[in-house]
Amino acid sequence: MMKDVKEAFCFVCTCDFWRMVLFWNTALVSSYFQLFRARIFGSKATPISCSINPHKGSSRPICVITGANSGLGRATAFALAEKGFFVVLVGRSSQLLSETLKEIKNKYKDAQLKYFEADMSSFESIFKFKNSLEQWLSDSALHPSIQLLVNNAGILATSSGPTIDGYDRMLATNYIGPFFLTKLLLPLLKNSYIPSRVVNVTSFTHRAAFIKKFNKDSVTGVRFSTSRQYPCARIYEYSKLCLLLFSYELHRQLRLLDDSRQVSVIAADPGFVKTNLMRELPRYITSMAFLGGRIVGLLQSPEEGAESIIDAALSTPETSGVYYFGGKGRTIVSSQVSRDPKLAKQLWETSCDLFNDLHLLHHNN
């Protein structure tokens, strides 16, 4: 017990703790204030009409969900299985994925499910998953396409730890991995027999992040390695800002290159949810955060938080480049920085360079 108290006290004395308390709470309240203002002035929610109709045709649309071991990913898998999707669960633990698959099957007897083990912080693992997915589609005599990709995997790391590719672990999992996976699966999305969609799960914490320009050191997290203390709060905000900038830029790129609007891109913010995301934080800090969230009525269960993700997944085909928050089909406006097209293009080009470098290296090996 004394060890837990000491860890909590030491964390309270860090900049990360106060950044979370001041900036993150302000960001969350700001998001809810937008919902309140929209309600007062009568703004309408974005219509939900199940753009990917799970009950239309002989085969079910295929949905790939990363981070499906637990929390939001697990809740999303349950919800989309109920909607009639063929749900592909992706995560780092085969055991947890197998357990989740059995639980979904027990609840929905006719659910169609498949799982793959993959680590979103590793390019090699992502590439292997892409190959395994394509092979499975072929072996199962399924249409060589997917209809929905939910990039949900994410971590809040409290210590630095470079990946095998030399990237910061948190940035690799929360942004670089989803970027690489989306690039690799884009041909399958474009080949879909119905309009397809990418849903990127971001966070209100992006509102606390600011950056003026991107380069390889900033995208891979190398510039943070020189910090005396690992700035976990800043990197988490930054990774979610990157994911949001990427969402908007991919939306613009697809609209420019594809007049048919085959693939749409949406960002979904689940809000403050009780998951194991903060498992690396001191136990008392996590308990205090959940207690505070419950007292003010902003703490949500994974099922409640997943509502924004489901809204994004099932919104109308023409819906793209928007930011879902708060459930009930509601959208809000993300931060000004996240909507900077020049910054987004700079991030896109830098990320593409990283992707091409690793792709080339992988082929040469």
Side-chain angles (χ1 to χ4, degrees):
M1 180 178 174
M2 287 304 299
K3 182 183 178 183
D4 290 337
V5 172
K6 184 178 179 181
E7 284 182 352
F9 178 77
C10 289
F11 190 74
V12 167
C13 295
T14 65
C15 293
D16 284 313
F17 173 79
W18 292 104
R19 190 175 186 91
M20 291 175 180
V21 169
L22 299 175
F23 291 3
W24 290 16
N25 284 331
T26 300
L28 183 59
V29 170
S30 173
S31 295
Y32 276 106
F33 179 73
Q34 284 196 47
L35 292 182
F36 175 75
R37 187 173 57 188
R39 185 178 178 183
I40 294 298
F41 292 102
S43 297
K44 294 182 180 179
T46 302
I48 306 294
S49 67
C50 203
S51 65
I52 304 173
N53 194 332
H55 305 292
K56 187 177 181 180
S58 57
S59 62
R60 299 188 184 196
I62 296 173
C63 167
V64 175
I65 306 172
T66 66
N69 291 335
S70 61
L72 285 165
R74 181 178 180 276
T76 301
F78 267 87
L80 292 177
E82 182 187 16
K83 297 288 184 184
F85 283 81
F86 195 133
V87 179
V88 177
L89 307 155
V90 184
R92 290 183 293 181
S93 169
S94 291
Q95 181 182 344
L96 290 175
L97 288 170
S98 178
E99 290 172 4
T100 300
L101 186 147
K102 289 176 184 176
E103 288 171 10
I104 296 174
K105 198 71 177 175
N106 287 337
K107 188 170 183 180
Y108 307 115
K109 304 299 181 184
D110 65 339
Q112 291 188 313
L113 308 159
K114 176 73 176 177
Y115 75 81
F116 292 92
E117 184 177 355
D119 182 357
M120 288 301 108
S121 70
S122 164
F123 179 78
E124 183 179 2
S125 182
I126 294 169
F127 195 78
K128 283 182 179 178
F129 162 64
K130 174 252 186 187
N131 288 339
S132 298
L133 178 65
E134 290 178 336
Q135 188 64 53
W136 168 69
L137 290 171
S138 176
D139 293 344
S140 304
L142 293 168
H143 190 271
S145 67
I146 61 173
Q147 286 62 58
L148 179 62
L149 169 62
V150 180
N151 284 313
N152 165 74
I155 61 170
L156 173 56
T158 56
S159 59
S160 62
T163 67
I164 194 170
D165 300 312
Y167 304 154
D168 173 83
R169 180 166 57 106
M170 187 152 41
L171 269 169
T173 305
N174 297 359
Y175 168 65
I176 301 173
F179 178 91
F180 286 179
L181 179 64
T182 305
K183 288 275 286 182
L184 288 171
L185 298 189
L186 207 50
L188 292 178
L189 288 158
K190 289 181 176 179
N191 196 43
S192 175
Y193 51 88
I194 57 174
S196 57
R197 172 161 290 156
V198 177
V199 175
N200 287 327
V201 181
T202 183
S203 167
F204 58 88
T205 60
H206 82 273
R207 298 184 187 278
F210 297 92
I211 189 166
K212 293 182 178 179
K213 67 176 183 176
F214 287 104
N215 54 40
K216 285 191 177 182
D217 285 349
S218 61
V219 174
T220 59
V222 171
R223 77 181 183 96
F224 294 112
S225 62
T226 58
S227 301
R228 193 170 143 189
Q229 183 179 9
Y230 186 69
C232 65
R234 279 181 58 209
I235 296 176
Y236 184 79
E237 303 158 4
Y238 176 71
S239 69
K240 291 302 181 179
L241 173 63
C242 288
L243 190 60
L244 197 46
L245 283 162
F246 161 56
S247 302
Y248 294 150
E249 182 60 23
L250 180 59
H251 158 74
R252 283 188 287 265
Q253 294 276 343
L254 291 170
R255 287 300 183 264
L256 284 172
L257 299 174
D258 185 5
D259 292 334
S260 66
R261 302 194 171 188
Q262 172 71 8
V263 185
S264 55
V265 188
I266 298 178
D269 181 348
F272 184 31
V273 184
K274 188 176 182 180
T275 67
N276 62 0
L277 176 70
M278 298 192 292
R279 61 186 175 274
E280 291 191 25
L281 295 179
R283 187 162 59 91
Y284 286 157
I285 297 296
T286 302
S287 299
M288 185 171 65
F290 288 154
L291 178 61
R294 189 177 296 112
I295 289 172
V296 298
L298 298 182
L299 180 65
Q300 302 179 97
S301 67
E303 291 71 26
E304 290 170 328
E307 287 182 17
S308 294
I309 303 172
I310 305 306
D311 288 346
L314 302 182
S315 58
T316 55
E318 62 272 16
T319 304
S320 186
V322 297
Y323 183 93
Y324 276 89
F325 176 82
K328 301 177 182 178
R330 294 178 292 184
T331 60
I332 60 174
V333 179
S334 59
S335 70
Q336 186 175 350
V337 176
S338 72
R339 291 178 283 115
D340 184 335
K342 290 183 179 178
L343 202 59
K345 189 169 184 182
Q346 193 177 68
L347 174 63
W348 173 273
E349 291 173 348
T350 305
S351 301
C352 283
D353 287 343
L354 293 173
F355 176 83
N356 293 334
D357 289 347
L358 276 183
H359 207 203
L360 182 63
L361 184 65
H362 183 85
H363 275 292
N364 288 339
N365 291 338

